Amino acid sequence: MKLVRRPARVGLPERLDALAVAVEDANGRLPDELVDGAREIFNRAGERRRLSTDHTVVALAGATGSGKSSLFNAVAGIELARVGLRRPTTAEPLACVWGTQGVTPLLEWLGIPLRHRVPKESVLDSGAEDALDGLVMLDMPDHDSTDHSHQAQVDRLVEMVDLFVWVMDPQKYADAVVHERYLRPLAGHAAVTVVLLNQIDLLSPADVERCVDDLQRLLAEDGLPKVPVIPLSAKTGAGLDRFVSVLREAVARRRSADERVAADVREAATRLLAAAGGSEPAGVDDTERRRLVDALAEAAGVDVVANAVGRSFTRRARAATGWPVTRWLAQLRPDPLRRLRLDRQGIDAQLARTSLPASTPVQRARSDSAVRRLGDAAAGGVTGPWMTRIRSVANAAGARLPDTLDQAVAGTDLQVEKRPRWWSAVGAVQWLAFAALLVGGLWLLALAVVAWLRLPEIPTPEWGTLPLPTLLLLGGAIVGVVLAVISRFAAGVGGRRRAQSVRRRLRDAVGTAADEVVLAPVNAELDRLRSFVAAARVAKG
């Protein structure tokens, strides 16, 4: 994923690149029509810049009878467009080109038929310098034509030209169609929009001033308060020089195309940001992760397994270090790990399945609630479709958790085969004590049999005042019993420590599973949203 960094100075190429990143990030997250519209703007802008950066496309648009064709002829200086008051007058867009070198691909992209392309220079004056060189002026079909194909032509070209010139007349300048359908949606394109109030020769100077003020008021309501309104008369030529100066300025700057593209990009980025909530996500902090791991550890039976490991350790410790006479009793107790199918180590965790008891409804509810809470916390201040997307990613990940947690428990090293060294040492001493007891007992039994049979007395060595057989018998019994009691206590302590160690291991395994199954896709979605927000802000400029 490409993360857009805000450069020190953002130019149009950087903004276009940023829009491309924002569109890629928003794909599948925001409404398709919104993403497709932004992608179309990017594609169209890139194609427009490739076709020609030396020409400025100016479109004269207006209603039937507004005088735009007369104005077109007046600027061109020759009679090109057919003038009339009945609709439709202009059926196809007509282009007058100042400076034809390299303009053909641009005209083809605009869809101007070859027969409707008129070069301004002739054979006699070609090569002469003109302040309008690079201007492509279009006389567009009437937007209020009864022929729907004419309206479609206007709608198509409105999206493609570099400078909009809306020609209005005193009778129709308040027409709701042009304001609601064309001007109001172009509120972000004030830098590339000009409004002409034509036919002022029919008004008194006071009426002209009132009409201009009223038209500016309507434009302000459309979101275009800074769009210039130029009163003129194509018939008398009044005000025409001011309009031609606007055209010359646009051509001289060669920026109309870029300004139009910049306005389109800004508008697309603004819509994308608005749909995404316009803010960056809060992310997942350590507290939310710890809450999730706690809930998942409970649902995975971490305490059950840890306690079983502790009891199994105690059982095996008593079997290995207890008094040999009674240690066999420990073998009668079942191994807690065997009942959970966790007594086998070194098996493939992907194939292993435990026999842990299923999570209780309360545990499942807590686990699901923790996953949902994490998704909500990760979304933070995000609203709209992307918040829903983050939640759905978290919930979908939560649905995969049971099997993953079971495998995580089965694949954790429970240290079943690990035997402390003191077991062997105590076991050896126990067997020595038991051997001493057995030798002493058999020795005393032999002495009793000899005495009972009245055989000659066998000499018996003594240690102090005690016969050695008696000392061996009593000493072996006392050592064995005392050592068994001490070992029993040590086995309990060792079992609790082993349970704590395994509990930490299991929590780590559950945490790893949560990171891989839940946090990884959620963080990937958050990173994508952060990339989108950064890119859209750069594109917005």
Side-chain angles (χ1 to χ4, degrees):
M1 185 180 299
K2 181 180 178 182
L3 183 61
V4 175
R5 297 182 181 274
R6 183 181 292 272
R9 183 177 181 180
V10 182
L12 184 57
E14 291 82 7
R15 291 175 61 188
L16 283 170
D17 291 341
L19 181 62
V21 173
V23 168
E24 179 183 355
D25 290 336
N27 190 32
R29 273 74 180 167
L30 298 182
D32 291 341
E33 61 274 12
L34 194 62
V35 176
D36 291 342
R39 183 183 291 111
E40 182 180 352
I41 287 174
F42 169 77
N43 293 335
R44 185 173 65 242
E47 186 175 4
R48 172 65 182 89
R49 289 173 61 83
R50 286 193 302 271
L51 290 172
S52 174
T53 57
D54 296 328
H55 291 87
T56 301
V57 181
V58 177
L60 301 184
T64 303
S66 62
K68 60 180 176 59
S69 296
S70 299
L71 181 63
F72 182 86
N73 293 336
V75 175
I78 51 178
E79 198 74 19
L80 297 176
R82 184 161 56 94
V83 179
L85 297 177
R86 290 178 5 184
R87 66 176 71 178
T89 302
T90 305
E92 293 284 349
L94 177 65
C96 183
V97 182
W98 283 258
T100 59
Q101 185 174 2
V103 77
T104 301
L106 177 61
L107 293 175
E108 292 177 351
W109 179 70
L110 292 170
I112 308 300
L114 185 61
R115 65 183 182 277
H116 287 178
R117 305 174 190 174
V118 180
K120 176 61 173 67
E121 68 238 21
S122 67
V123 176
L124 296 177
D125 62 5
S126 61
E129 292 187 1
D130 192 322
L132 293 179
D133 277 350
L135 174 65
V136 177
M137 187 170 62
L138 303 180
D139 183 19
M140 297 174 65
D142 303 331
H143 69 77
D144 59 347
S145 172
T146 56
D147 190 331
H148 294 295
S149 65
H150 297 176
Q151 297 179 17
Q153 287 270 30
V154 175
D155 293 340
R156 179 180 64 85
L157 288 173
V158 156
E159 299 292 332
M160 304 171 73
V161 301
D162 303 324
L163 182 65
F164 305 115
V165 178
W166 297 98
V167 183
M168 301 184 180
D169 62 85
Q171 289 78 26
K172 297 181 181 179
Y173 71 82
D175 188 3
V177 174
V178 68
H179 286 275
E180 294 178 2
R181 184 170 183 176
Y182 297 107
L183 291 175
R184 196 163 297 167
L186 297 174
H189 298 72
V192 290
T193 304
V194 175
V195 175
L196 306 181
L197 181 62
N198 193 18
Q199 301 177 5
I200 62 171
D201 56 291
L202 302 178
L203 303 175
S204 66
D207 289 337
V208 170
E209 185 176 352
R210 282 195 295 269
C211 287
V212 169
D213 292 341
D214 190 42
L215 181 53
Q216 287 179 330
R217 178 187 61 81
L218 294 174
L219 292 174
E221 293 177 357
D222 293 333
L224 298 165
K226 296 183 179 180
V227 169
V229 176
I230 301 176
L232 54 75
S233 172
K235 181 178 180 180
T236 65
L240 187 62
D241 290 342
R242 183 180 172 188
F243 173 53
V244 173
S245 296
V246 171
L247 296 180
R248 286 173 177 165
E249 181 182 356
V251 171
R253 288 183 303 164
R254 305 292 191 198
R255 289 176 53 191
S256 293
D258 283 353
E259 288 177 350
R260 167 61 199 266
V261 171
D264 286 341
V265 170
R266 182 186 308 112
E267 182 178 0
T270 300
R271 291 178 179 176
L272 290 173
L273 280 172
S279 60
E280 294 187 3
V284 180
D285 57 20
D286 293 338
T287 301
E288 290 300 331
R289 181 185 181 277
R290 185 169 58 254
R291 289 176 180 174
L292 176 64
V293 173
D294 289 342
L296 297 183
E298 182 181 2
V302 167
D303 288 336
V304 173
V305 175
N307 293 334
V309 169
R311 293 195 303 271
S312 177
F313 179 92
T314 302
R315 171 185 173 277
R316 290 184 294 117
R318 291 174 180 176
T321 63
W323 196 29
V325 176
T326 59
R327 69 171 54 177
W328 60 274
L329 295 174
Q331 300 292 342
L332 298 178
R333 296 179 180 178
D335 189 344
L337 291 179
R338 180 170 297 175
R339 287 184 298 181
L340 299 178
R341 296 181 62 188
L342 292 172
D343 57 325
R344 299 169 295 168
Q345 295 296 302
I347 58 178
D348 188 354
Q350 297 294 331
L351 303 177
R353 287 294 182 269
T354 68
S355 294
L356 287 168
S359 302
T360 65
V362 174
Q363 290 173 333
R364 289 195 299 271
R366 288 178 180 174
S367 174
D368 295 341
S369 176
V371 172
R372 288 194 301 270
R373 184 170 57 241
L374 182 136
D376 293 342
V382 179
T383 59
W386 220 307
M387 178 183 66
T388 304
R389 173 73 181 188
I390 294 173
R391 288 177 175 176
S392 65
V393 168
N395 293 336
R400 300 193 300 270
L401 277 173
D403 285 344
T404 304
L405 293 177
D406 194 73
Q407 292 176 5
V409 171
T412 301
D413 181 10
L414 303 181
Q415 302 177 336
V416 174
E417 306 298 332
K418 185 177 181 180
R419 293 169 55 91
R421 294 180 180 179
W422 67 271
W423 286 11
S424 300
V426 172
V429 173
Q430 283 283 33
W431 281 109
L432 288 175
F434 181 72
L437 180 149
L438 188 60
V439 169
L442 292 177
W443 195 341
L444 290 176
L445 181 61
L447 292 176
V449 171
V450 168
W452 183 71
L453 295 176
R454 297 182 181 276
L455 296 175
E457 184 177 353
I458 300 175
T460 304
E462 295 181 354
W463 190 341
T465 59
L466 290 176
L468 185 58
T470 303
L471 184 62
L472 289 173
L473 177 65
L474 295 178
I478 293 172
V479 170
V481 172
V482 171
L483 195 58
V485 172
I486 296 174
S487 299
R488 186 181 184 88
F489 175 78
V493 174
R496 288 191 292 273
R497 290 181 176 177
R498 181 63 61 85
Q500 292 175 357
S501 175
V502 169
R503 184 177 287 106
R504 288 192 296 268
R505 288 172 175 265
L506 289 172
R507 280 186 60 86
D508 290 343
V510 170
T512 300
D515 290 340
E516 294 176 353
V517 177
V518 180
L519 294 181
V522 169
N523 283 330
E525 196 63 35
L526 295 179
D527 290 342
R528 184 163 184 164
L529 176 54
R530 293 188 185 99
S531 171
F532 164 80
V533 172
R537 287 176 177 173
V538 172
K540 186 178 178 181

